[in-house]
Amino acid sequence: DVQSQWPLPEHQQEAQSLYVGGVQAGIQAIGTLEALARWLRTGKQWHSQAEWTLETPATALQPNYLRRWRRMGFNRLNVYGAASTAHADTQSSPGDLVDRAAAYGLRCSFEWECRVTPHQEGLLRQLDPLRDARVEHFSVNVYPAQTSSLKVSPRLFWELLAAWRKQYGYEAYHYHHFGRRGARGRYNLAVYQGAAYAGLGPVGTGSAGYRMR
C-alpha cells in the first residue's frame, strides 16, 4: 500500500520537480516505480510545467524502458556512466543517447566522471564526447588519478574546464552544472533556490515536506 507507507503531505506550494535517485530504480524496481508515479500524479501539488527526472545508467536507455518511463510521467533522464565506459558499454555516443531518448519525449543530462590525469591533454580528452551539439546539459564529478606524478591539479582542472565549456557554448549555473541554450535542470535550480521539489530513492532528497524513501 504505497499511500499508507508514504502519506502525501498537505502543502500549499507546488513542487517544480521530482528527482528519483538510486541509478537502478527505473530498472530493478520499475513495477514499484510505476505504482508510485500513479500515486504521485493523483495529487494537485505539481506545477503545470513540473520536471520529473529519473537517474539511470546509460545502458538502460532502451526502447522498453524509455517507453515505460515516459508513460509514468518522466520527462528528463540524468544519465550516469564514466566518460570511458558510457560509450563502450552502450556503443552509443552521448549525442546518440540524446536522440534515442528524444524519440520518446525525454531529455537527457549527463553525469560525467573525469579523472585528474598527469597531463592536460588527457584530462580534456575525457570531455570530447560532450562537444556534440546534441548534448545540452551535463555535470562533472572529478576523481583523483591513480598516480603520484600529477602535473594537473584539481584546481587547474576547473580552470581548464571553464575555458573548455565557454569554447563549446556551455554556461555554468552552478559550480559543476553546465547547460547550452539556456538548458537548466529544474531539480538543480530548485535545490539551489530553495524551491519545492520531491526526492525519491536512496539518494533522493526533497524539500517542503516532499522527502520520500
Side-chain angles (χ1 to χ4, degrees), residues 30-75:
I30 194 166
T32 300
L33 189 60
E34 286 175 327
L36 285 169
R38 287 194 298 270
W39 168 66
L40 287 167
R41 282 290 179 191
T42 63
K44 297 181 180 180
Q45 80 280 13
W46 297 103
H47 188 276
S48 61
Q49 300 298 319
E51 178 184 82
W52 281 30
T53 301
L54 177 66
E55 204 175 83
T56 181
T59 51
L61 270 69
Q62 303 299 329
N64 56 323
Y65 289 123
L66 293 167
R67 187 178 300 109
R68 291 177 73 176
W69 295 336
R70 189 67 189 99
R71 286 175 180 171
M72 291 181 212
F74 290 98
N75 48 27

Side-chain angles (χ1 to χ4, degrees), residues 101-117:
Y104 293 87
L106 292 153
R107 294 180 293 110
C108 284
S109 175
F110 293 89
E111 194 81 16
W112 213 249
E113 297 178 1
C114 288
R115 296 282 174 182
V116 177
T117 64

Side-chain angles (χ1 to χ4, degrees), residues 1-207:
D1 184 349
V2 172
Q3 190 162 354
S4 64
Q5 293 182 51
W6 291 287
L8 191 66
E10 294 293 335
H11 201 279
Q12 297 301 313
Q13 237 180 332
E14 291 183 325
Q16 297 180 15
S17 179
L18 168 71
Y19 190 93
V20 177
V23 183
Q24 300 291 336
I27 306 170
Q28 296 176 355
I30 194 166
T32 300
L33 189 60
E34 286 175 327
L36 285 169
R38 287 194 298 270
W39 168 66
L40 287 167
R41 282 290 179 191
T42 63
K44 297 181 180 180
Q45 80 280 13
W46 297 103
H47 188 276
S48 61
Q49 300 298 319
E51 178 184 82
W52 281 30
T53 301
L54 177 66
E55 204 175 83
T56 181
T59 51
L61 270 69
Q62 303 299 329
N64 56 323
Y65 289 123
L66 293 167
R67 187 178 300 109
R68 291 177 73 176
W69 295 336
R70 189 67 189 99
R71 286 175 180 171
M72 291 181 212
F74 290 98
N75 48 27
R76 182 174 179 265
L77 302 175
N78 194 28
V79 182
Y80 273 71
S84 57
T85 60
H87 177 82
D89 289 349
T90 64
Q91 298 300 309
S92 301
S93 70
D96 291 339
L97 295 175
V98 167
D99 285 345
R100 188 182 303 173
Y104 293 87
L106 292 153
R107 294 180 293 110
C108 284
S109 175
F110 293 89
E111 194 81 16
W112 213 249
E113 297 178 1
C114 288
R115 296 282 174 182
V116 177
T117 64
H119 301 286
Q120 174 178 332
E121 294 77 10
L123 191 153
L124 292 178
R125 196 176 301 122
Q126 298 175 67
L127 298 170
D128 278 352
L130 299 172
R131 292 164 54 182
D132 192 315
R134 293 172 292 179
V135 178
E136 288 193 338
H137 188 278
F138 74 96
S139 59
V140 171
N141 293 317
V142 184
Y143 298 91
Q146 297 176 354
T147 176
S148 59
S149 58
L150 287 179
K151 295 181 181 178
V152 178
S153 67
R155 179 176 178 179
L156 180 56
F157 168 79
W158 291 109
E159 292 175 354
L160 293 170
L161 177 60
W164 180 93
R165 60 96 176 164
K166 290 177 182 177
Q167 180 180 357
Y168 294 104
Y170 286 102
E171 298 177 351
Y173 68 97
H174 189 248
Y175 76 95
H176 75 145
H177 287 98
F178 309 91
R180 279 185 174 130
R181 297 180 287 275
R184 299 287 187 273
R186 291 182 194 163
Y187 163 74
N188 306 118
L189 290 173
V191 172
Y192 308 147
Q193 297 172 358
Y197 64 95
L200 179 70
V203 299
T205 57
S207 68

